[in-house]
């Protein structure tokens, strides 16, 4: 009796229908697949060496993530980045925080909060200026605005040419026998306001003092313009002044009508004797272009004309027009 009951129990718990057997086999296959998956993984994905990385894009993305500037090119490493700023398309672009706002002459000692805001100065920085003045602080020269906490270097550079400091002088009063200095309140004294009156200048001959005579051009921009001119070898058109590194377009447009040009002083580079180093020192000629020019000369002999540069694939018509005035074959 007992063996029969035991066989029935075993049959009830260890006997499977056809569907159940299929389910068990399927589950076993799934278990086997997932147990082997870690070993198969390297064959299912691309190997690291098969991935092509665009290094330039990687550097750009990395610089955007860290807030750093894109690494300079070899042409910039030659020192041209401090002088030359290639002008992009004339299509409107989004303005940065440093460049928004109007530009007009102002006195940081008397400008109202509304006027400071119109200049594009952030509200928090405006309050800093007002608080500084309320405690007796004064700006004695345009460069003093660089000490304002919260005002970035680019904002200082943009605003400095428009800073006009008013000098207050005591009024001399005379009596019958003596001359004395008036002690009347400062607000009622005569105010001396120095206003530049621009005069035409030759952009290839003017020194820094002549450049500073133009409205909106101080010592900083004057040195930049003259330095860029020396790097180029002279300007061959007025519009090149606008390429000076950091020079706001609004400032260039305000002085443009006062700019004259003489092109007899332009310095040229001899294509048949110049080295790669000499060529790439020019702001318009990058290292790869300089190398291509020297290699072409080595393979085809001396240049017979500057126009032969158009035979070099790396030089298109636009670049040729920019660099041709600075090159010769003699």
């Amino acid at each position: 009796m007992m063996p029969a009951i035991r066989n029935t129990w075993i049959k009830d718990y260890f006997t499977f229908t056809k569907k159940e057997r299929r389910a068990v086999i399927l589950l076993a296959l799934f278990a086997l697949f997932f147990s082997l998956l870690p070993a198969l993984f390297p064959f299912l994905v691309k190997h690291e060496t098969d991935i092509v990385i665009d290094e330039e894009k990687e550097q750009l993305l990395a610089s955007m993530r860290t807030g750093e500037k894109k690494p300079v090119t070899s042409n910039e490493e030659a020192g041209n980045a401090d002088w030359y700023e290639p002008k992009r398309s004339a299509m409107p672009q989004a303005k940065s925080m440093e460049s928004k706002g109007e530009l007009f002459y102002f006195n940081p000692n008397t400008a109202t909060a509304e006027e400071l805001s119109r200049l594009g100065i952030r509200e928090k920085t405006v309050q800093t200026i007002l608080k500084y003045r309320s405690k007796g602080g004064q700006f004695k020269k345009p460069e003093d605005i660089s000490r304002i906490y919260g005002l970035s270097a680019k904002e200082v550079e943009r605003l400095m040419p428009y800073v006009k400091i008013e000098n207050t002088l005591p009024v001399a009063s005379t009596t019958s026998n003596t001359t004395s200095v008036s002690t009347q309140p400062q607000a009622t004294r005569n105010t001396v306001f120095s206003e530049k009156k621009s005069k035409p200048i030759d952009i290839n001959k003017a020194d820094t003092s002549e450049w500073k005579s133009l409205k909106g051009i101080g010592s900083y921009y004057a040195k930049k313009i003259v330095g860029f001119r020396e790097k180029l070898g002279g300007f061959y058109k007025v519009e090149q002044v606008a390429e000076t590194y950091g020079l706001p377009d609004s400032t260039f447009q305000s002085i443009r009508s006062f700019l004259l040009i003489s092109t007899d002083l332009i310095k040229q580079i001899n294509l048949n004797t110049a080295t790669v180093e000499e060529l790439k020192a020019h702001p318009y000629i990058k290292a790869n272009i300089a190398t291509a020019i020297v290699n072409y000369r080595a393979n085809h002999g001396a240049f017979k004309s500057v126009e032969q540069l158009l035979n070099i694939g790396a030089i298109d018509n636009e670049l040729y027009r920019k660099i041709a005035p600075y090159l010769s074959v003699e």
Side-chain angles (χ1 to χ4, degrees):
M1 199 64 189
M2 289 295 293
I5 295 174
R6 184 179 299 168
N7 290 338
T8 302
W9 180 82
I10 293 174
K11 185 177 181 180
D12 289 340
Y13 287 95
F14 293 97
T15 301
F16 302 99
T17 65
K18 189 175 182 180
K19 287 184 178 180
E20 289 172 337
R21 285 196 298 273
R22 288 178 180 175
V24 169
I25 293 171
L26 188 60
L27 287 173
L29 290 175
F30 272 116
L32 179 63
F33 173 75
F34 284 110
S35 65
L36 294 175
L37 189 59
L40 296 174
F41 187 76
F43 301 99
L44 299 177
V45 297
K46 269 193 174 182
H47 195 272
E48 185 177 359
T49 57
D50 296 332
I51 300 175
V52 179
I53 299 176
D54 188 328
E55 293 185 359
E56 184 177 351
K57 288 183 179 179
E58 285 293 313
Q59 289 179 350
L60 180 58
L61 288 171
S63 66
M64 290 172 67
R65 286 193 294 267
T66 60
E68 298 173 354
K69 291 184 179 179
K70 182 181 176 182
V72 296
T73 64
S74 56
N75 187 46
E76 292 171 333
E77 290 172 354
N80 293 328
D82 291 336
W83 308 103
Y84 174 48
E85 184 176 17
K87 297 303 178 187
R88 307 301 181 193
S89 168
M91 294 180 67
Q93 299 178 352
K95 294 183 179 180
S96 65
M97 288 295 292
E98 288 83 4
S99 61
K100 69 177 183 179
E102 300 177 44
L103 285 174
F104 53 87
Y105 292 105
F106 71 100
N107 183 350
N109 289 316
T110 59
T112 63
E114 182 182 353
E115 290 173 331
L116 294 172
S117 296
R118 280 174 51 206
L119 288 164
I121 300 175
R122 290 179 288 277
E123 181 61 30
K124 189 174 181 180
T125 308
V126 170
Q127 295 304 316
T128 299
I129 296 172
L130 297 179
K131 186 176 180 180
Y132 171 73
R133 290 188 339 208
S134 68
K135 293 185 176 181
Q138 284 192 334
F139 299 93
K140 297 181 180 179
K141 55 184 183 297
E143 291 78 7
D144 287 349
I145 67 170
S146 63
R147 297 182 300 166
I148 299 173
Y149 181 78
L151 203 62
S152 70
K154 285 188 177 181
E155 288 176 304
V156 171
E157 197 173 286
R158 183 177 70 94
L159 296 173
M160 196 180 298
Y162 295 89
V163 175
K164 296 296 181 182
I165 306 295
E166 295 180 359
N167 299 315
T168 55
L169 298 177
V171 179
S173 60
T174 58
T175 60
S176 56
N177 296 318
T178 62
T179 302
S180 61
V181 176
S182 172
T183 58
Q184 59 184 307
Q186 183 174 330
T188 62
R189 298 177 187 175
N190 290 340
T191 298
V192 179
F193 192 91
S194 57
E195 181 69 39
K196 288 183 180 179
K197 292 185 178 180
S198 298
K199 295 180 181 180
I201 64 171
D202 188 317
I203 62 175
N204 277 327
K205 297 178 180 178
D207 57 20
T208 54
S209 62
E210 291 176 280
W211 280 103
K212 288 193 296 183
S213 70
L214 300 176
K215 291 181 179 180
I217 302 295
S219 298
Y220 179 82
Y221 288 135
K223 290 178 182 178
K224 283 288 186 183
I225 294 170
V226 172
F228 178 46
R229 183 185 69 195
E230 295 305 311
K231 280 275 188 179
L232 283 173
F235 297 116
Y236 62 80
K237 62 179 181 179
V238 169
E239 288 73 19
Q240 287 177 283
V241 174
E243 297 175 356
T244 303
Y245 188 84
L247 184 69
D249 184 64
S250 57
T251 301
F252 170 70
Q253 296 300 336
S254 69
I255 65 174
R256 186 173 185 170
S257 60
F258 298 97
L259 304 182
L260 307 177
I261 186 170
S262 57
T263 57
D264 55 315
L265 299 177
I266 292 179
K267 297 177 184 178
Q268 295 182 316
I269 302 171
N270 190 336
L271 284 173
N272 290 322
T273 60
T275 64
V276 171
E277 293 300 321
E278 290 172 332
L279 287 167
K280 74 177 186 178
H282 193 280
Y284 290 164
I285 303 177
K286 294 184 179 180
N288 65 315
I289 301 298
T291 302
I293 291 173
V294 172
N295 288 343
Y296 182 89
R297 185 179 69 202
N299 294 327
H300 298 84
F303 286 94
K304 294 180 175 61
S305 67
V306 176
E307 287 79 6
Q308 280 184 266
L309 289 174
L310 290 170
N311 295 331
I312 301 174
I315 300 178
D316 57 20
N317 289 328
E318 182 181 358
L319 178 59
Y320 172 76
R321 285 193 295 270
K322 288 183 69 174
I323 65 178
Y326 299 105
L327 303 171
S328 72
V329 294
E330 296 178 357

